[in-house]
Amino acid sequence: MNTEKLEISSESIQHAGDILRKGGLVAFPTETVYGLGADALNGEAVKAVYAAKGRPSDNPMIVHIAETEQLADLIAELPAHAGPLIRAFWPGPITFVFRKTDQVPETTTGGLDTVAIRMPSNETARRLILAAGVPVAAPSANLSGKPSPTTAADVLEDMDGRIDAVLLGEDCAVGIESTVLDLTGEVPMILRPGFITKEMLETVLGSEVRYDPSLFRQPDGEDFKPRSPGMKYKHYTPNAEVRLIAGEPEAVHARIEALRTEAEEAGRTVAVLDYRDPREAAKDFFARLREIDREGVDLVLVRALKEEELGLSVMNRMLKSAGYNIEQVQA
Ligand code: TXA
Ligand code: MG
């Protein structure tokens, strides 16, 4: 298949919207990561997304909308907490899980009776959804198991020849995927941590928000059943070995340098990721993992972030990419 590479313009966005409405697949920028879009109400189009990504079909997709009016057809009820959260955080990098209506095909929700919905703030994404005139199901636009793409070049690396078109937008400002918040229970539950943190949610609600307990467990064994099916798959794995080092700043620095020297003496190539700021880490991490693979690096040494607020969200991705290989150094 020849993948159209579309520079951003009113015409190209209109054209991409036409492709989506006719059942085709279009990758597009959002503020979090690039998405691979299809008409969310067209089960056949959604199946083609699973095929293009090589994604297990029980892993449900996020449905993207551009206006709150679009919710009415998709969700069975608006939970009490939803109003204030939508007003505070949409459009933006957070996805809410609701009970679904019959209009949403089970292909889109991986057989679940709930649907995950997000209104992105990225201007190109919003214009595309409006041009399509349908809600747009979109997982991250990577091959299953690869880091989410945060640049148009990263999308093409995985998807060129597999989808109808790519909108060549800007690099993603946030760089990690949206927070996923389940609103179907009494207490809102974070199924995937992201840029919008537990603290930010609790400030708006004035009440408690919980983490899905399986977020803090290594995915292993039959009894690992996270409420967000996507959390159980192997994710974000580069070809290189990734090791996380946690502890006091100076001790971590010393340990990283010692490991680097040891590996280089053994003839291995080493990359060090030493982020001081969680925002910078979020924006850079996935893109760097892809670069590291292109460069054929053997070992990646990563300074662990403090697992609080945005740092916790980035560490969720870092731990997965490291296969939970983390070392605590003493000062
Ligand atoms: O930032 C994002 O969310 C990006 C951009 C493109 O919007 N999309 C994205 O989609 O990350 P994806 O498919 O890579 O991840 C969706 C996550 C998965 O972990 C999936 O299991 C979960 O959301 N999810 C989707 N529908 C769900 C549902 N009904 N209940 C629980 N989890 C759900
Ligand atoms: Mg993904």
Side-chain angles (χ1 to χ4, degrees), residues 193-194 197-199 211 306-314:
T197 64
K198 180 170 180 286
E199 292 75 14
Y211 289 113
K306 275 213 183 69
E307 284 185 82
E308 54 186 38
E309 304 194 21
L310 181 58
L312 181 146
S313 308
V314 181

Side-chain angles (χ1 to χ4, degrees), residues 269-305:
T269 50
V270 181
V272 173
L273 303 185
D274 191 352
Y275 301 112
R276 297 308 167 98
D277 166 35
R279 270 187 192 240
E280 177 207 352
K283 186 164 163 46
D284 191 64
F285 184 61
F286 285 152
R288 280 290 292 150
L289 288 186
R290 284 176 175 265
E291 255 172 58
I292 279 164
D293 269 352
R294 285 194 291 269
E295 290 163 0
V297 169
D298 300 307
L299 174 65
V300 191
L301 300 169
V302 187
R303 178 193 292 276
L305 303 173

Side-chain angles (χ1 to χ4, degrees), residues 50-293:
Y50 287 112
K53 280 181 63 84
R55 178 182 180 120
S57 62
D58 72 334
N59 193 353
M61 296 192 188
I62 294 173
V63 176
H64 296 69
I65 60 174
E67 297 170 321
T68 40
E69 290 69 44
Q70 290 179 281
L71 278 177
D73 289 342
L74 305 173
I75 70 173
E77 65 194 7
L78 193 71
H81 290 312
L85 292 175
I86 286 172
R87 281 192 293 278
F89 298 114
W90 271 3
I94 185 162
T95 298
F96 301 115
V97 175
F98 303 97
R99 301 233 163 274
K100 80 173 192 72
T101 61
D102 291 342
Q103 293 211 40
V104 185
E106 296 220 330
T107 333
T108 303
T109 64
L112 298 175
D113 60 1
T114 55
V115 60
I117 304 184
R118 180 160 101 83
M119 188 189 295
S121 61
N122 177 282
E123 200 44 38
T124 302
R126 289 171 56 78
R127 289 165 70 195
L128 174 66
I129 298 162
L130 290 173
V134 291
V136 176
S140 48
N142 52 285
L143 290 173
S144 197
K146 296 257 268 157
S148 295
T150 56
T151 71
D154 289 349
V155 174
L156 287 170
E157 181 177 76
D158 285 11
M159 290 298 158
D160 198 3
R162 303 176 73 92
I163 61 177
D164 296 292
V166 180
L167 281 166
L168 304 171
E170 66 277 34
D171 295 356
C172 301
V174 171
I176 59 171
E177 308 87 347
S178 62
T179 306
V180 177
L181 185 71
D182 186 351
L183 292 177
T184 64
E186 212 156 289
V187 179
M189 190 181 279
I190 294 176
L191 308 185
R192 180 174 70 183
F195 190 78
I196 306 295
T197 64
K198 180 170 180 286
E199 292 75 14
M200 292 160 75
L201 295 166
E202 287 177 336
T203 301
V204 166
L205 291 177
S207 64
E208 189 197 6
V209 170
R210 292 196 190 128
Y211 289 113
D212 176 0
S214 55
L215 276 178
F216 302 101
R217 285 192 44 200
Q218 213 162 322
D220 50 13
E222 286 290 291
D223 66 330
F224 184 76
K225 288 214 168 55
R227 295 159 62 105
S228 171
M231 303 301 283
K232 73 174 178 271
Y233 296 107
K234 200 172 165 201
H235 256 154
Y236 323 125
T237 346
N239 300 320
E241 180 192 355
V242 183
R243 292 178 67 167
L244 277 163
I245 318 292
E248 289 307 314
E250 260 138 58
V252 169
H253 179 75
R255 181 66 180 146
I256 285 179
E257 286 312 311
L259 288 169
R260 182 215 292 266
T261 306
E262 186 186 309
E264 284 176 351
E265 278 172 11
R268 303 175 81 197
T269 50
V270 181
V272 173
L273 303 185
D274 191 352
Y275 301 112
R276 297 308 167 98
D277 166 35
R279 270 187 192 240
E280 177 207 352
K283 186 164 163 46
D284 191 64
F285 184 61
F286 285 152
R288 280 290 292 150
L289 288 186
R290 284 176 175 265
E291 255 172 58
I292 279 164
D293 269 352

